[in-house]
Amino acid sequence: GAVVSQHPSRVICKSGTSVKIECRSLDFQATTMFWYRQFPKQSLMLMATSNEGSKATYEQGVEKDKFLINHASLTLSTLTVTSAHPEDSSFYICSATKGIPQHFGDGTRLSIL
Amino acid sequence: DAKTTQPNSMESNEEEPVHLPCNHSTISGTDYIHWYRQLPSQGPEYVIHGLTSNVNNRMASLAIAEDRKSSTLILHRATLRDAAVYYCILPSGSARQLTFGSGTQLTVLP
């Protein structure tokens, strides 16, 4: 079946650091990729929708200058958390799709000290 | 956007069938019904989707009410690995975005 690879799986870094998370669709070309965030014991919250070659569409309340999304190809999207602070600590999950369904990565657990 | 309502939690015994209900009384005629599940510390996993007719795949069955205002995900023989949060979602928006509610936490008892 379709596979989405997300890297790294876990990051621990100091406050003020920028962190890049990669999301790759390994065996299909994704027309759309999505980025989600999930805090402990809560559900997934959509952060942004990304199409290859165009600017991402951010959900209300998500700072586009803090969460930079680059969707350079049909198989790769990156999320950069700039100048991360402890409140940005969360589980970040990407998904990719070329229609139905969405295929999810295994997530990146980001811990900011 | 059409919303869904699911029980917060359900329990099942191993190797028995599980029926997970979902209410979506404001569903529109073109809304598909999707089910995903999320195992602990993992990203969600697609389970099944349908529009009007009942659907079967290797993971589960989806029974859709005739008026489409409710649906039921059926796991025919629950295993311990089926313990997860199950989400019933009606994708919306131009990109068919998924809005995750709180889902149903399924506990499978050995």
Side-chain angles (χ1 to χ4, degrees), chain A residues 32 34 36 38 43-44 46 49 59 91 93 100-102 104-107 109, chain B residues 32 34 36 38 41-46 49 87 95-98 100-102:
Chain A
T32 308
F34 301 89
Y36 299 82
Q38 185 174 32
S43 192
L44 283 79
L46 179 65
T49 302
E59 295 298 302
F91 191 46
I93 307 168
I100 297 173
Q102 285 188 28
F104 288 81
D106 282 337
R109 192 160 302 282
Chain B
Y32 278 80
H34 288 224
Y36 286 79
Q38 186 178 23
S41 299
Q42 294 186 24
E45 174 186 29
Y46 166 78
H49 76 281
Y87 297 98
R96 313 316 292 167
Q97 293 95 321
L98 302 179
F100 286 82
S102 54

PDB file of all heavy atoms in Angstrom, chain A residues 32 34 36 38 43-44 46 49 59 91 93 100-102 104-107 109, chain B residues 32 34 36 38 41-46 49 87 95-98 100-102:
ATOM      1  N   THR A  32      -1.595  16.636  -3.074  1.00  0.00           N
ATOM      2  CA  THR A  32      -1.769  17.497  -1.911  1.00  0.00           C
ATOM      3  C   THR A  32      -1.130  16.840  -0.694  1.00  0.00           C
ATOM      4  O   THR A  32      -1.205  15.621  -0.536  1.00  0.00           O
ATOM      5  CB  THR A  32      -3.265  17.732  -1.614  1.00  0.00           C
ATOM      6  OG1 THR A  32      -3.916  18.187  -2.796  1.00  0.00           O
ATOM      7  CG2 THR A  32      -3.444  18.784  -0.517  1.00  0.00           C
ATOM      8  N   PHE A  34      -0.729  17.504   3.660  1.00  0.00           N
ATOM      9  CA  PHE A  34      -1.305  18.209   4.798  1.00  0.00           C
ATOM     10  C   PHE A  34      -0.360  18.095   5.997  1.00  0.00           C
ATOM     11  O   PHE A  34       0.340  17.094   6.149  1.00  0.00           O
ATOM     12  CB  PHE A  34      -2.652  17.600   5.194  1.00  0.00           C
ATOM     13  CG  PHE A  34      -3.695  17.603   4.109  1.00  0.00           C
ATOM     14  CD1 PHE A  34      -3.793  16.544   3.215  1.00  0.00           C
ATOM     15  CD2 PHE A  34      -4.592  18.662   3.987  1.00  0.00           C
ATOM     16  CE1 PHE A  34      -4.754  16.534   2.224  1.00  0.00           C
ATOM     17  CE2 PHE A  34      -5.564  18.663   2.994  1.00  0.00           C
ATOM     18  CZ  PHE A  34      -5.644  17.592   2.118  1.00  0.00           C
ATOM     19  N   TYR A  36      -0.448  18.376  10.249  1.00  0.00           N
ATOM     20  CA  TYR A  36      -1.284  18.386  11.428  1.00  0.00           C
ATOM     21  C   TYR A  36      -0.404  18.518  12.668  1.00  0.00           C
ATOM     22  O   TYR A  36       0.776  18.186  12.661  1.00  0.00           O
ATOM     23  CB  TYR A  36      -2.083  17.083  11.558  1.00  0.00           C
ATOM     24  CG  TYR A  36      -3.041  16.783  10.440  1.00  0.00           C
ATOM     25  CD1 TYR A  36      -2.608  16.197   9.253  1.00  0.00           C
ATOM     26  CD2 TYR A  36      -4.402  17.059  10.579  1.00  0.00           C
ATOM     27  CE1 TYR A  36      -3.493  15.907   8.224  1.00  0.00           C
ATOM     28  CE2 TYR A  36      -5.301  16.756   9.561  1.00  0.00           C
ATOM     29  CZ  TYR A  36      -4.839  16.189   8.394  1.00  0.00           C
ATOM     30  OH  TYR A  36      -5.725  15.888   7.391  1.00  0.00           O
ATOM     31  N   GLN A  38      -0.709  17.588  16.985  1.00  0.00           N
ATOM     32  CA  GLN A  38      -1.514  16.904  17.986  1.00  0.00           C
ATOM     33  C   GLN A  38      -0.868  17.063  19.354  1.00  0.00           C
ATOM     34  O   GLN A  38       0.246  16.581  19.569  1.00  0.00           O
ATOM     35  CB  GLN A  38      -1.665  15.418  17.640  1.00  0.00           C
ATOM     36  CG  GLN A  38      -2.584  14.652  18.573  1.00  0.00           C
ATOM     37  CD  GLN A  38      -2.812  13.222  18.101  1.00  0.00           C
ATOM     38  OE1 GLN A  38      -1.943  12.601  17.502  1.00  0.00           O
ATOM     39  NE2 GLN A  38      -3.995  12.693  18.369  1.00  0.00           N
ATOM     40  N   SER A  43      -7.057  15.642  19.864  1.00  0.00           N
ATOM     41  CA  SER A  43      -7.167  15.138  18.509  1.00  0.00           C
ATOM     42  C   SER A  43      -6.229  15.895  17.578  1.00  0.00           C
ATOM     43  O   SER A  43      -5.611  16.888  17.966  1.00  0.00           O
ATOM     44  CB  SER A  43      -8.610  15.273  18.028  1.00  0.00           C
ATOM     45  OG  SER A  43      -8.797  14.544  16.851  1.00  0.00           O
ATOM     46  N   LEU A  44      -6.115  15.420  16.363  1.00  0.00           N
ATOM     47  CA  LEU A  44      -5.275  16.103  15.371  1.00  0.00           C
ATOM     48  C   LEU A  44      -5.933  17.410  14.962  1.00  0.00           C
ATOM     49  O   LEU A  44      -7.138  17.479  14.770  1.00  0.00           O
ATOM     50  CB  LEU A  44      -5.109  15.259  14.118  1.00  0.00           C
ATOM     51  CG  LEU A  44      -4.140  14.088  14.157  1.00  0.00           C
ATOM     52  CD1 LEU A  44      -4.751  12.887  14.846  1.00  0.00           C
ATOM     53  CD2 LEU A  44      -3.701  13.712  12.746  1.00  0.00           C
ATOM     54  N   LEU A  46      -5.596  20.292  11.963  1.00  0.00           N
ATOM     55  CA  LEU A  46      -4.996  20.632  10.674  1.00  0.00           C
ATOM     56  C   LEU A  46      -4.304  21.987  10.779  1.00  0.00           C
ATOM     57  O   LEU A  46      -4.897  22.962  11.238  1.00  0.00           O
ATOM     58  CB  LEU A  46      -6.071  20.669   9.590  1.00  0.00           C
ATOM     59  CG  LEU A  46      -5.612  21.045   8.184  1.00  0.00           C
ATOM     60  CD1 LEU A  46      -4.652  19.993   7.626  1.00  0.00           C
ATOM     61  CD2 LEU A  46      -6.807  21.211   7.246  1.00  0.00           C
ATOM     62  N   THR A  49      -2.572  23.173   4.384  1.00  0.00           N
ATOM     63  CA  THR A  49      -2.737  22.344   3.187  1.00  0.00           C
ATOM     64  C   THR A  49      -1.741  22.831   2.155  1.00  0.00           C
ATOM     65  O   THR A  49      -1.625  24.041   1.920  1.00  0.00           O
ATOM     66  CB  THR A  49      -4.164  22.475   2.641  1.00  0.00           C
ATOM     67  OG1 THR A  49      -5.093  22.098   3.652  1.00  0.00           O
ATOM     68  CG2 THR A  49      -4.356  21.606   1.408  1.00  0.00           C
ATOM     69  N   GLU A  59      -4.431  27.180   8.215  1.00  0.00           N
ATOM     70  CA  GLU A  59      -5.675  27.278   8.968  1.00  0.00           C
ATOM     71  C   GLU A  59      -5.628  28.497   9.886  1.00  0.00           C
ATOM     72  O   GLU A  59      -4.553  29.006  10.231  1.00  0.00           O
ATOM     73  CB  GLU A  59      -5.898  26.016   9.798  1.00  0.00           C
ATOM     74  CG  GLU A  59      -6.116  24.773   8.952  1.00  0.00           C
ATOM     75  CD  GLU A  59      -7.343  24.852   8.068  1.00  0.00           C
ATOM     76  OE1 GLU A  59      -8.460  25.050   8.608  1.00  0.00           O
ATOM     77  OE2 GLU A  59      -7.182  24.740   6.827  1.00  0.00           O
ATOM     78  N   PHE A  91       3.251  16.772  18.729  1.00  0.00           N
ATOM     79  CA  PHE A  91       3.397  15.670  17.782  1.00  0.00           C
ATOM     80  C   PHE A  91       2.933  16.209  16.425  1.00  0.00           C
ATOM     81  O   PHE A  91       1.769  16.586  16.265  1.00  0.00           O
ATOM     82  CB  PHE A  91       2.522  14.505  18.253  1.00  0.00           C
ATOM     83  CG  PHE A  91       2.740  13.192  17.549  1.00  0.00           C
ATOM     84  CD1 PHE A  91       4.016  12.710  17.321  1.00  0.00           C
ATOM     85  CD2 PHE A  91       1.673  12.416  17.145  1.00  0.00           C
ATOM     86  CE1 PHE A  91       4.233  11.485  16.691  1.00  0.00           C
ATOM     87  CE2 PHE A  91       1.869  11.184  16.522  1.00  0.00           C
ATOM     88  CZ  PHE A  91       3.142  10.714  16.286  1.00  0.00           C
ATOM     89  N   ILE A  93       2.323  15.669  12.407  1.00  0.00           N
ATOM     90  CA  ILE A  93       2.019  14.564  11.506  1.00  0.00           C
ATOM     91  C   ILE A  93       1.724  15.117  10.122  1.00  0.00           C
ATOM     92  O   ILE A  93       0.989  16.101   9.994  1.00  0.00           O
ATOM     93  CB  ILE A  93       0.794  13.761  12.001  1.00  0.00           C
ATOM     94  CG1 ILE A  93       0.982  13.321  13.462  1.00  0.00           C
ATOM     95  CG2 ILE A  93       0.546  12.546  11.115  1.00  0.00           C
ATOM     96  CD1 ILE A  93      -0.295  12.792  14.092  1.00  0.00           C
ATOM     97  N   ILE A 100      -8.379   9.963  -2.756  1.00  0.00           N
ATOM     98  CA  ILE A 100      -8.841   9.298  -1.537  1.00  0.00           C
ATOM     99  C   ILE A 100      -8.043   8.007  -1.413  1.00  0.00           C
ATOM    100  O   ILE A 100      -7.966   7.256  -2.381  1.00  0.00           O
ATOM    101  CB  ILE A 100     -10.353   8.978  -1.594  1.00  0.00           C
ATOM    102  CG1 ILE A 100     -11.185  10.270  -1.697  1.00  0.00           C
ATOM    103  CG2 ILE A 100     -10.778   8.167  -0.388  1.00  0.00           C
ATOM    104  CD1 ILE A 100     -12.654  10.014  -1.925  1.00  0.00           C
ATOM    105  N   PRO A 101      -7.517   7.660  -0.258  1.00  0.00           N
ATOM    106  CA  PRO A 101      -7.582   8.368   1.018  1.00  0.00           C
ATOM    107  C   PRO A 101      -6.338   9.225   1.261  1.00  0.00           C
ATOM    108  O   PRO A 101      -5.490   9.339   0.368  1.00  0.00           O
ATOM    109  CB  PRO A 101      -7.617   7.223   2.013  1.00  0.00           C
ATOM    110  CG  PRO A 101      -6.714   6.195   1.379  1.00  0.00           C
ATOM    111  CD  PRO A 101      -6.924   6.319  -0.107  1.00  0.00           C
ATOM    112  N   GLN A 102      -6.245   9.790   2.452  1.00  0.00           N
ATOM    113  CA  GLN A 102      -4.998  10.408   2.883  1.00  0.00           C
ATOM    114  C   GLN A 102      -4.132   9.322   3.521  1.00  0.00           C
ATOM    115  O   GLN A 102      -4.630   8.451   4.233  1.00  0.00           O
ATOM    116  CB  GLN A 102      -5.261  11.520   3.911  1.00  0.00           C
ATOM    117  CG  GLN A 102      -5.814  12.788   3.308  1.00  0.00           C
ATOM    118  CD  GLN A 102      -5.873  13.933   4.300  1.00  0.00           C
ATOM    119  OE1 GLN A 102      -5.087  13.992   5.252  1.00  0.00           O
ATOM    120  NE2 GLN A 102      -6.800  14.858   4.082  1.00  0.00           N
ATOM    121  N   PHE A 104      -0.893   8.779   5.969  1.00  0.00           N
ATOM    122  CA  PHE A 104      -0.216   9.529   7.014  1.00  0.00           C
ATOM    123  C   PHE A 104       1.173   8.991   7.309  1.00  0.00           C
ATOM    124  O   PHE A 104       1.427   7.776   7.217  1.00  0.00           O
ATOM    125  CB  PHE A 104      -1.039   9.479   8.307  1.00  0.00           C
ATOM    126  CG  PHE A 104      -2.297  10.297   8.248  1.00  0.00           C
ATOM    127  CD1 PHE A 104      -3.435   9.799   7.643  1.00  0.00           C
ATOM    128  CD2 PHE A 104      -2.326  11.578   8.786  1.00  0.00           C
ATOM    129  CE1 PHE A 104      -4.591  10.561   7.571  1.00  0.00           C
ATOM    130  CE2 PHE A 104      -3.475  12.349   8.731  1.00  0.00           C
ATOM    131  CZ  PHE A 104      -4.611  11.837   8.116  1.00  0.00           C
ATOM    132  N   GLY A 105       2.059   9.921   7.677  1.00  0.00           N
ATOM    133  CA  GLY A 105       3.348   9.528   8.213  1.00  0.00           C
ATOM    134  C   GLY A 105       3.192   9.089   9.666  1.00  0.00           C
ATOM    135  O   GLY A 105       2.109   9.207  10.247  1.00  0.00           O
ATOM    136  N   ASP A 106       4.296   8.607  10.234  1.00  0.00           N
ATOM    137  CA  ASP A 106       4.259   8.134  11.614  1.00  0.00           C
ATOM    138  C   ASP A 106       4.449   9.243  12.640  1.00  0.00           C
ATOM    139  O   ASP A 106       4.451   8.988  13.840  1.00  0.00           O
ATOM    140  CB  ASP A 106       5.319   7.053  11.826  1.00  0.00           C
ATOM    141  CG  ASP A 106       4.877   5.708  11.273  1.00  0.00           C
ATOM    142  OD1 ASP A 106       3.653   5.516  11.135  1.00  0.00           O
ATOM    143  OD2 ASP A 106       5.743   4.872  10.967  1.00  0.00           O
ATOM    144  N   GLY A 107       4.611  10.475  12.158  1.00  0.00           N
ATOM    145  CA  GLY A 107       4.683  11.602  13.071  1.00  0.00           C
ATOM    146  C   GLY A 107       6.082  11.923  13.549  1.00  0.00           C
ATOM    147  O   GLY A 107       6.998  11.087  13.506  1.00  0.00           O
ATOM    148  N   ARG A 109       7.800  13.671  16.944  1.00  0.00           N
ATOM    149  CA  ARG A 109       7.581  14.207  18.297  1.00  0.00           C
ATOM    150  C   ARG A 109       8.644  15.256  18.570  1.00  0.00           C
ATOM    151  O   ARG A 109       9.828  14.958  18.627  1.00  0.00           O
ATOM    152  CB  ARG A 109       7.655  13.095  19.332  1.00  0.00           C
ATOM    153  CG  ARG A 109       7.154  13.547  20.703  1.00  0.00           C
ATOM    154  CD  ARG A 109       6.769  12.390  21.604  1.00  0.00           C
ATOM    155  NE  ARG A 109       5.752  11.517  21.062  1.00  0.00           N
ATOM    156  CZ  ARG A 109       4.447  11.780  21.038  1.00  0.00           C
ATOM    157  NH1 ARG A 109       3.997  12.919  21.538  1.00  0.00           N
ATOM    158  NH2 ARG A 109       3.591  10.909  20.551  1.00  0.00           N
TER     159      ARG A 109
ATOM    160  N   TYR B  32     -18.881  12.217   1.418  1.00  0.00           N
ATOM    161  CA  TYR B  32     -18.448  10.857   1.683  1.00  0.00           C
ATOM    162  C   TYR B  32     -18.244  10.676   3.186  1.00  0.00           C
ATOM    163  O   TYR B  32     -17.941  11.626   3.903  1.00  0.00           O
ATOM    164  CB  TYR B  32     -17.133  10.559   0.961  1.00  0.00           C
ATOM    165  CG  TYR B  32     -17.303  10.181  -0.490  1.00  0.00           C
ATOM    166  CD1 TYR B  32     -17.490  11.158  -1.462  1.00  0.00           C
ATOM    167  CD2 TYR B  32     -17.281   8.845  -0.889  1.00  0.00           C
ATOM    168  CE1 TYR B  32     -17.654  10.809  -2.790  1.00  0.00           C
ATOM    169  CE2 TYR B  32     -17.445   8.487  -2.212  1.00  0.00           C
ATOM    170  CZ  TYR B  32     -17.624   9.473  -3.159  1.00  0.00           C
ATOM    171  OH  TYR B  32     -17.796   9.138  -4.474  1.00  0.00           O
ATOM    172  N   HIS B  34     -15.858   8.902   5.824  1.00  0.00           N
ATOM    173  CA  HIS B  34     -14.541   8.279   5.932  1.00  0.00           C
ATOM    174  C   HIS B  34     -14.317   7.804   7.356  1.00  0.00           C
ATOM    175  O   HIS B  34     -14.734   8.461   8.311  1.00  0.00           O
ATOM    176  CB  HIS B  34     -13.440   9.283   5.584  1.00  0.00           C
ATOM    177  CG  HIS B  34     -13.346   9.621   4.132  1.00  0.00           C
ATOM    178  ND1 HIS B  34     -12.138   9.701   3.463  1.00  0.00           N
ATOM    179  CD2 HIS B  34     -14.289   9.908   3.214  1.00  0.00           C
ATOM    180  CE1 HIS B  34     -12.358  10.015   2.202  1.00  0.00           C
ATOM    181  NE2 HIS B  34     -13.647  10.151   2.030  1.00  0.00           N
ATOM    182  N   TYR B  36     -11.006   6.646   9.809  1.00  0.00           N
ATOM    183  CA  TYR B  36      -9.578   6.469  10.042  1.00  0.00           C
ATOM    184  C   TYR B  36      -9.406   5.991  11.476  1.00  0.00           C
ATOM    185  O   TYR B  36     -10.295   6.158  12.303  1.00  0.00           O
ATOM    186  CB  TYR B  36      -8.820   7.798   9.866  1.00  0.00           C
ATOM    187  CG  TYR B  36      -8.670   8.249   8.431  1.00  0.00           C
ATOM    188  CD1 TYR B  36      -9.735   8.863   7.754  1.00  0.00           C
ATOM    189  CD2 TYR B  36      -7.473   8.070   7.741  1.00  0.00           C
ATOM    190  CE1 TYR B  36      -9.600   9.260   6.440  1.00  0.00           C
ATOM    191  CE2 TYR B  36      -7.327   8.477   6.429  1.00  0.00           C
ATOM    192  CZ  TYR B  36      -8.406   9.080   5.780  1.00  0.00           C
ATOM    193  OH  TYR B  36      -8.264   9.482   4.475  1.00  0.00           O
ATOM    194  N   GLN B  38      -6.298   5.675  14.742  1.00  0.00           N
ATOM    195  CA  GLN B  38      -4.967   6.077  15.181  1.00  0.00           C
ATOM    196  C   GLN B  38      -4.546   5.197  16.349  1.00  0.00           C
ATOM    197  O   GLN B  38      -5.173   5.227  17.427  1.00  0.00           O
ATOM    198  CB  GLN B  38      -4.923   7.548  15.598  1.00  0.00           C
ATOM    199  CG  GLN B  38      -3.527   8.035  15.932  1.00  0.00           C
ATOM    200  CD  GLN B  38      -3.466   9.506  16.295  1.00  0.00           C
ATOM    201  OE1 GLN B  38      -4.464  10.093  16.715  1.00  0.00           O
ATOM    202  NE2 GLN B  38      -2.300  10.120  16.131  1.00  0.00           N
ATOM    203  N   SER B  41       0.746   6.655  19.563  1.00  0.00           N
ATOM    204  CA  SER B  41       2.031   7.191  19.100  1.00  0.00           C
ATOM    205  C   SER B  41       2.298   6.971  17.619  1.00  0.00           C
ATOM    206  O   SER B  41       3.448   6.886  17.190  1.00  0.00           O
ATOM    207  CB  SER B  41       3.193   6.592  19.920  1.00  0.00           C
ATOM    208  OG  SER B  41       3.042   6.921  21.277  1.00  0.00           O
ATOM    209  N   GLN B  42       1.241   6.869  16.832  1.00  0.00           N
ATOM    210  CA  GLN B  42       1.393   6.729  15.388  1.00  0.00           C
ATOM    211  C   GLN B  42       0.503   7.733  14.669  1.00  0.00           C
ATOM    212  O   GLN B  42      -0.402   8.315  15.259  1.00  0.00           O
ATOM    213  CB  GLN B  42       1.015   5.317  14.937  1.00  0.00           C
ATOM    214  CG  GLN B  42       1.946   4.222  15.446  1.00  0.00           C
ATOM    215  CD  GLN B  42       1.595   2.874  14.846  1.00  0.00           C
ATOM    216  OE1 GLN B  42       1.001   2.792  13.769  1.00  0.00           O
ATOM    217  NE2 GLN B  42       1.974   1.811  15.529  1.00  0.00           N
ATOM    218  N   GLY B  43       0.767   7.921  13.382  1.00  0.00           N
ATOM    219  CA  GLY B  43      -0.138   8.708  12.573  1.00  0.00           C
ATOM    220  C   GLY B  43      -1.398   7.903  12.282  1.00  0.00           C
ATOM    221  O   GLY B  43      -1.419   6.687  12.403  1.00  0.00           O
ATOM    222  N   PRO B  44      -2.471   8.596  11.911  1.00  0.00           N
ATOM    223  CA  PRO B  44      -3.712   7.884  11.582  1.00  0.00           C
ATOM    224  C   PRO B  44      -3.541   6.944  10.400  1.00  0.00           C
ATOM    225  O   PRO B  44      -2.624   7.090   9.577  1.00  0.00           O
ATOM    226  CB  PRO B  44      -4.695   9.009  11.251  1.00  0.00           C
ATOM    227  CG  PRO B  44      -4.160  10.201  11.961  1.00  0.00           C
ATOM    228  CD  PRO B  44      -2.674  10.043  11.886  1.00  0.00           C
ATOM    229  N   GLU B  45      -4.464   6.004  10.315  1.00  0.00           N
ATOM    230  CA  GLU B  45      -4.453   4.999   9.248  1.00  0.00           C
ATOM    231  C   GLU B  45      -5.846   4.961   8.634  1.00  0.00           C
ATOM    232  O   GLU B  45      -6.855   4.914   9.347  1.00  0.00           O
ATOM    233  CB  GLU B  45      -4.097   3.643   9.854  1.00  0.00           C
ATOM    234  CG  GLU B  45      -4.174   2.474   8.920  1.00  0.00           C
ATOM    235  CD  GLU B  45      -3.943   1.150   9.634  1.00  0.00           C
ATOM    236  OE1 GLU B  45      -4.254   1.052  10.845  1.00  0.00           O
ATOM    237  OE2 GLU B  45      -3.451   0.215   8.988  1.00  0.00           O
ATOM    238  N   TYR B  46      -5.912   4.993   7.309  1.00  0.00           N
ATOM    239  CA  TYR B  46      -7.196   4.899   6.608  1.00  0.00           C
ATOM    240  C   TYR B  46      -7.827   3.539   6.860  1.00  0.00           C
ATOM    241  O   TYR B  46      -7.148   2.507   6.830  1.00  0.00           O
ATOM    242  CB  TYR B  46      -6.982   5.115   5.115  1.00  0.00           C
ATOM    243  CG  TYR B  46      -8.144   4.718   4.243  1.00  0.00           C
ATOM    244  CD1 TYR B  46      -9.265   5.548   4.132  1.00  0.00           C
ATOM    245  CD2 TYR B  46      -8.129   3.530   3.527  1.00  0.00           C
ATOM    246  CE1 TYR B  46     -10.331   5.189   3.317  1.00  0.00           C
ATOM    247  CE2 TYR B  46      -9.191   3.164   2.721  1.00  0.00           C
ATOM    248  CZ  TYR B  46     -10.288   3.990   2.617  1.00  0.00           C
ATOM    249  OH  TYR B  46     -11.347   3.629   1.825  1.00  0.00           O
ATOM    250  N   HIS B  49     -14.107   3.982   3.392  1.00  0.00           N
ATOM    251  CA  HIS B  49     -14.977   5.116   3.126  1.00  0.00           C
ATOM    252  C   HIS B  49     -16.133   4.664   2.232  1.00  0.00           C
ATOM    253  O   HIS B  49     -16.037   3.642   1.537  1.00  0.00           O
ATOM    254  CB  HIS B  49     -14.224   6.289   2.496  1.00  0.00           C
ATOM    255  CG  HIS B  49     -13.904   6.112   1.030  1.00  0.00           C
ATOM    256  ND1 HIS B  49     -12.852   5.341   0.578  1.00  0.00           N
ATOM    257  CD2 HIS B  49     -14.505   6.615  -0.079  1.00  0.00           C
ATOM    258  CE1 HIS B  49     -12.800   5.387  -0.732  1.00  0.00           C
ATOM    259  NE2 HIS B  49     -13.788   6.145  -1.168  1.00  0.00           N
ATOM    260  N   TYR B  87     -11.919   7.391  14.110  1.00  0.00           N
ATOM    261  CA  TYR B  87     -12.495   8.670  13.730  1.00  0.00           C
ATOM    262  C   TYR B  87     -13.427   8.506  12.527  1.00  0.00           C
ATOM    263  O   TYR B  87     -13.046   7.925  11.508  1.00  0.00           O
ATOM    264  CB  TYR B  87     -11.400   9.655  13.332  1.00  0.00           C
ATOM    265  CG  TYR B  87     -10.423  10.006  14.433  1.00  0.00           C
ATOM    266  CD1 TYR B  87      -9.189   9.373  14.531  1.00  0.00           C
ATOM    267  CD2 TYR B  87     -10.737  10.997  15.360  1.00  0.00           C
ATOM    268  CE1 TYR B  87      -8.285   9.710  15.528  1.00  0.00           C
ATOM    269  CE2 TYR B  87      -9.835  11.344  16.362  1.00  0.00           C
ATOM    270  CZ  TYR B  87      -8.624  10.695  16.439  1.00  0.00           C
ATOM    271  OH  TYR B  87      -7.739  11.035  17.425  1.00  0.00           O
ATOM    272  N   ALA B  95      -9.895  20.925  -0.900  1.00  0.00           N
ATOM    273  CA  ALA B  95      -8.864  19.895  -0.848  1.00  0.00           C
ATOM    274  C   ALA B  95      -9.330  18.669  -0.076  1.00  0.00           C
ATOM    275  O   ALA B  95      -8.526  17.781   0.199  1.00  0.00           O
ATOM    276  CB  ALA B  95      -7.594  20.446  -0.211  1.00  0.00           C
ATOM    277  N   ARG B  96     -10.635  18.610   0.223  1.00  0.00           N
ATOM    278  CA  ARG B  96     -11.192  17.487   0.983  1.00  0.00           C
ATOM    279  C   ARG B  96     -10.423  17.281   2.287  1.00  0.00           C
ATOM    280  O   ARG B  96      -9.951  16.194   2.598  1.00  0.00           O
ATOM    281  CB  ARG B  96     -11.195  16.200   0.153  1.00  0.00           C
ATOM    282  CG  ARG B  96     -11.752  16.355  -1.271  1.00  0.00           C
ATOM    283  CD  ARG B  96     -13.009  17.165  -1.341  1.00  0.00           C
ATOM    284  NE  ARG B  96     -14.166  16.516  -0.730  1.00  0.00           N
ATOM    285  CZ  ARG B  96     -15.305  17.139  -0.463  1.00  0.00           C
ATOM    286  NH1 ARG B  96     -15.449  18.415  -0.720  1.00  0.00           N
ATOM    287  NH2 ARG B  96     -16.324  16.482   0.067  1.00  0.00           N
ATOM    288  N   GLN B  97     -10.308  18.384   3.020  1.00  0.00           N
ATOM    289  CA  GLN B  97      -9.592  18.315   4.285  1.00  0.00           C
ATOM    290  C   GLN B  97     -10.325  17.435   5.288  1.00  0.00           C
ATOM    291  O   GLN B  97     -11.548  17.318   5.262  1.00  0.00           O
ATOM    292  CB  GLN B  97      -9.438  19.717   4.903  1.00  0.00           C
ATOM    293  CG  GLN B  97      -8.540  20.653   4.135  1.00  0.00           C
ATOM    294  CD  GLN B  97      -9.305  21.550   3.181  1.00  0.00           C
ATOM    295  OE1 GLN B  97     -10.261  21.114   2.543  1.00  0.00           O
ATOM    296  NE2 GLN B  97      -8.864  22.783   3.062  1.00  0.00           N
ATOM    297  N   LEU B  98      -9.555  16.822   6.181  1.00  0.00           N
ATOM    298  CA  LEU B  98     -10.116  16.012   7.242  1.00  0.00           C
ATOM    299  C   LEU B  98     -10.126  16.808   8.536  1.00  0.00           C
ATOM    300  O   LEU B  98      -9.108  17.343   8.950  1.00  0.00           O
ATOM    301  CB  LEU B  98      -9.275  14.739   7.442  1.00  0.00           C
ATOM    302  CG  LEU B  98      -9.110  13.822   6.230  1.00  0.00           C
ATOM    303  CD1 LEU B  98      -8.237  12.638   6.589  1.00  0.00           C
ATOM    304  CD2 LEU B  98     -10.466  13.359   5.717  1.00  0.00           C
ATOM    305  N   PHE B 100     -10.604  16.226  12.331  1.00  0.00           N
ATOM    306  CA  PHE B 100     -10.653  15.143  13.313  1.00  0.00           C
ATOM    307  C   PHE B 100     -11.378  15.615  14.573  1.00  0.00           C
ATOM    308  O   PHE B 100     -10.992  16.605  15.179  1.00  0.00           O
ATOM    309  CB  PHE B 100      -9.227  14.689  13.675  1.00  0.00           C
ATOM    310  CG  PHE B 100      -8.557  13.880  12.614  1.00  0.00           C
ATOM    311  CD1 PHE B 100      -7.949  14.502  11.537  1.00  0.00           C
ATOM    312  CD2 PHE B 100      -8.538  12.494  12.679  1.00  0.00           C
ATOM    313  CE1 PHE B 100      -7.332  13.753  10.539  1.00  0.00           C
ATOM    314  CE2 PHE B 100      -7.922  11.734  11.696  1.00  0.00           C
ATOM    315  CZ  PHE B 100      -7.319  12.368  10.616  1.00  0.00           C
ATOM    316  N   GLY B 101     -12.426  14.901  14.948  1.00  0.00           N
ATOM    317  CA  GLY B 101     -13.082  15.140  16.221  1.00  0.00           C
ATOM    318  C   GLY B 101     -12.365  14.360  17.300  1.00  0.00           C
ATOM    319  O   GLY B 101     -11.183  14.023  17.155  1.00  0.00           O
ATOM    320  N   SER B 102     -13.076  14.052  18.360  1.00  0.00           N
ATOM    321  CA  SER B 102     -12.449  13.324  19.467  1.00  0.00           C
ATOM    322  C   SER B 102     -12.447  11.815  19.247  1.00  0.00           C
ATOM    323  O   SER B 102     -11.702  11.087  19.897  1.00  0.00           O
ATOM    324  CB  SER B 102     -13.126  13.662  20.787  1.00  0.00           C
ATOM    325  OG  SER B 102     -14.504  13.444  20.670  1.00  0.00           O
TER     326      SER B 102
END
